[in-house]
Amino acid sequence: MEEKPPVGVIVLGGLNCFVLGGLFFLIGLWNILRITPQEFQTLLEVLKERGIPNEITYRQFKKLHMFSIIVSLVWGVAGAGVLLRRDWGRKTTLYFALFVTGIIFLAVLMQPSFLRRVAFQLLYLGILILYFTQKSIEKYFTDKRRKE
C-alpha cells in the first residue's frame, strides 16, 4: 500500500504548481500578448491618479512580464515535482525559495519601504523553507522503499 502524501505536500505543491506556476504564467502571457501601448498608458494614468508612483516604460513592462513567466515556470515545474513526490521538486522549491528570499532582502536593504509590499511573500517563502527542510518531509521524498 502506497504511503499517503502529507497534507502540506499537497497544499504547497498545489499552490506552487497551479497558482504560482499555472495561473501566474497565464496572467503574464495575457499581459504580454494583450496589453497594447495605449492600454498601458491608461494604466499608468490610473496609477498616478491613485497616488502610486511609477516610472516604467512599456518595454520594461513587457520585460518584467517575460521575467515573471520564467519565474512562474520554475514554480510550476517545482510544484509538479513535489506533487509527483520527486526529491528534485522538493529541492528546487527549497533552493528557489531561498534565492527569492535573498533577492527580496537585497531589495529591502536598498528600499526599506518595500518591506510592507513583500511581507506576505516573505511569510510564504519562510513557510516553504521551514516545511521542506523538515526531516520527516525530506524522508517522504527520499524513502528508498517506495515504488517508482
Side-chain angles (χ1 to χ4, degrees):
M1 189 166 147
E2 191 167 321
E3 181 182 0
K4 277 183 82 173
V7 172
V9 168
I10 295 169
V11 170
L12 296 173
L15 279 172
N16 287 350
C17 184
F18 300 113
V19 177
L20 295 179
L23 180 63
F24 286 174
F25 173 82
L26 293 174
I27 290 170
L29 191 61
W30 174 265
N31 286 333
I32 286 174
L33 297 176
R34 301 292 297 182
I35 294 181
T36 65
Q38 296 80 17
E39 291 171 327
F40 178 72
Q41 286 306 318
T42 303
L43 174 64
L44 289 180
E45 291 168 14
V46 169
L47 291 174
K48 190 174 187 178
E49 288 172 6
R50 294 185 181 180
I52 301 172
N54 55 72
E55 295 182 15
I56 187 171
T57 66
Y58 183 68
R59 187 173 182 197
Q60 291 170 329
F61 174 78
K62 292 282 190 173
K63 286 181 180 181
L64 177 68
H65 283 286
M66 285 299 297
F67 180 73
S68 75
I69 286 174
I70 293 167
V71 169
S72 69
L73 288 173
V74 173
W75 283 123
V77 169
V82 166
L83 292 173
L84 294 171
R85 195 177 178 177
R86 301 293 187 256
D87 196 42
W88 60 260
R90 180 189 71 86
K91 288 179 180 177
T92 302
T93 298
L94 180 59
Y95 296 140
F96 198 61
L98 287 166
F99 173 73
V100 172
T101 301
I103 296 295
I104 289 174
F105 277 126
L106 288 175
V108 168
L109 285 175
M110 292 187 287
Q111 183 71 340
S113 65
F114 187 61
L115 182 59
R116 287 179 296 177
R117 296 184 193 152
V118 296
F120 184 73
Q121 288 89 335
L122 283 173
L123 176 65
Y124 181 70
L125 293 167
I127 289 169
L128 288 175
I129 293 165
L130 291 174
Y131 186 78
F132 285 109
T133 55
Q134 290 181 59
K135 290 292 180 195
S136 60
I137 298 303
E138 182 179 351
K139 186 176 188 286
Y140 170 77
F141 283 96
T142 59
D143 190 2
K144 300 297 180 198
R145 296 177 309 207
R146 70 181 178 92
K147 293 181 180 178
E148 295 278 340

